Amino acid sequence: MPADKSDADEAADNEKKQRKDKHKGKKHGGKDDKLKGKDYLKELERLHGELVALQQWVVAEGAKICIVFEGRDGAGKGGTIKAITERVSPRVFRVVALPSPTDREKSQMYVQRYIRHFPAAGEIVIFDRSWYNRAGVERVMGFCSEEQSRKFLNDVPLVEKAMVDSGIKLIKFWLEVSPEEQTKRLSGRIDDSRKIWKLSPMDLKSYSRWYDYSRARDDMFAATDTSFAPWYVVRSDDKKRARLNVIRHLLAQVPYKKLKREKIELPDRQKRKGYREPAYAYKYVDEHY
């Protein structure tokens, strides 16, 4: 270290290096590179089997589970939810992603439109963004007043306590993405015809307000990170690791047991009994592939 470099300067340099290492993924289990595709798919297959076991247990026990996903635009919420739900029944795992409120809904108690989507017995409901819109995007983008946001943060722990007391298992995830990775992901949507629908005018406006969102997140955690409904933060710069970590954590939060499976055998098909294929001019799809 140069003789004229102060301890404060050295500490600042160390902090900068730690942030840089974090953004490169060096906080993921001590590994410097992203998870290999084949390793990811192998572990995802195992976890999917566990999610199916969870599903069967939830139905058998009549359990009620509510999962909330929040985070900045581009944090990976949609991909994580898809990884959870792609091998389970949509009748048990229900995904709720509400549009902007109607005029009627705006006149209701704020959480009222969310309450009707809460899980009944034998259901797992996943909110792709939730009532926490009021603490995040609505506050930052000026869709509600500071007073309304403060009142929400004061009231929502009472609502969540009522949820938990009614028997709902409430699990809240915040996906934390770095500024560099968010820029990379949102930029990648601009020229990709498969992803352009993900980039709304609201995303562009909110992108510039990184620190307003940081302040909103900090206030939200301070008010709603409770013992009965804590927030779990997921580093999501590495999408694959984030998805696996979320599923593993979700499974660990529920004391499910694998149900005993009865042996299944396919029955014999019925006899033809004179049936003949009709001479019908079926309209087949062109086989280009």
Side-chain angles (χ1 to χ4, degrees):
M1 181 180 71
D4 60 345
K5 193 169 187 179
S6 67
D7 291 342
D9 290 337
E10 184 180 16
D13 289 344
N14 288 337
E15 182 180 358
K16 183 177 181 181
K17 182 178 184 300
Q18 289 174 1
R19 287 201 306 269
K20 184 177 180 181
D21 288 347
K22 178 180 178 180
H23 299 331
K24 288 183 177 179
K26 292 188 178 182
K27 292 291 184 179
H28 292 287
K31 298 181 183 296
D32 294 343
D33 54 349
K34 292 192 175 182
L35 189 64
K36 293 180 180 179
K38 63 178 182 179
D39 295 331
Y40 166 71
L41 292 175
K42 181 179 180 181
E43 180 62 7
L44 185 62
E45 180 180 358
R46 185 188 72 82
L47 292 173
H48 278 160
E50 293 297 325
L51 286 170
V52 171
L54 170 65
Q55 170 182 279
Q56 293 173 324
W57 179 86
V58 164
V59 172
E61 294 294 319
K64 298 178 290 184
I65 301 175
C66 182
I67 307 168
V68 168
F69 279 97
E70 293 289 343
R72 304 175 194 269
D73 295 320
K77 297 180 292 297
T80 302
I81 292 170
K82 182 177 180 181
I84 293 172
T85 59
E86 63 183 341
R87 295 293 182 177
V88 291
S89 170
R91 291 184 293 274
V92 179
F93 281 77
R94 291 196 294 110
V95 178
V96 177
L98 298 185
S100 300
T102 63
D103 290 339
R104 181 176 184 275
E105 288 171 333
K106 289 178 182 178
S107 71
Q108 297 174 342
M109 180 177 67
Y110 179 73
V111 298
Q112 188 171 339
R113 75 186 190 121
Y114 295 98
I115 290 174
R116 64 190 182 93
H117 295 283
F118 286 179
E123 292 183 342
I124 300 173
V125 173
I126 300 175
F127 280 93
D128 184 356
R129 293 199 182 276
S130 65
W131 47 95
Y132 281 101
N133 276 341
R134 174 134 294 185
V137 64
E138 290 190 15
R139 173 185 173 181
V140 173
M141 302 307 296
F143 298 145
C144 72
S145 66
E146 285 292 325
E147 181 181 356
Q148 287 175 316
S149 180
R150 284 194 297 270
K151 187 177 187 306
F152 167 81
L153 292 176
N154 183 66
D155 293 347
V156 75
L158 302 177
V159 175
E160 293 180 351
K161 185 65 165 60
M163 292 174 66
V164 173
D165 288 346
S166 75
I168 295 175
K169 175 67 176 178
L170 177 58
I171 305 171
K172 302 186 299 191
F173 290 110
W174 173 272
L175 271 59
E176 184 67 22
V177 66
S178 68
E180 295 83 0
E181 184 64 20
Q182 186 195 46
T183 298
K184 177 182 175 182
R185 292 179 186 177
L186 295 185
S187 298
R189 295 176 181 179
I190 295 175
D191 298 318
D192 191 329
S193 60
R194 301 166 301 171
K195 299 179 181 179
I196 189 61
W197 64 272
K198 294 184 177 182
L199 194 62
S200 69
M202 186 60 59
D203 295 332
L204 297 176
K205 291 180 180 179
S206 64
Y207 171 79
S208 65
R209 302 185 182 184
W210 178 271
Y211 291 106
D212 287 342
Y213 273 100
S214 295
R215 295 183 183 95
R217 176 203 58 197
D218 296 346
D219 290 345
M220 182 186 75
F221 275 30
T224 65
D225 186 21
T226 59
S227 60
F228 52 85
W231 280 103
Y232 296 104
V233 179
V234 184
R235 287 192 294 269
S236 64
D237 277 12
D238 186 327
K239 292 180 180 180
K240 293 185 177 70
R241 281 198 171 93
R243 293 166 188 171
L244 297 180
N245 287 332
V246 165
I247 297 174
R248 188 176 186 276
H249 185 89
L250 166 60
L251 292 167
Q253 296 305 302
V254 184
Y256 72 99
K257 296 179 181 179
K258 290 187 176 181
L259 304 182
K260 185 178 180 181
R261 293 179 56 187
E262 296 183 2
K263 186 177 180 180
I264 301 174
E265 293 184 359
L266 293 176
D268 294 334
R269 278 211 177 104
Q270 64 182 159
K271 302 297 183 180
R272 181 182 290 269
K273 295 182 179 179
Y275 174 79
R276 295 175 180 273
E277 292 289 342
Y280 186 81
Y282 292 107
K283 299 176 181 67
Y284 286 101
V285 172
D286 292 339
E287 297 180 349
H288 292 286
Y289 305 100

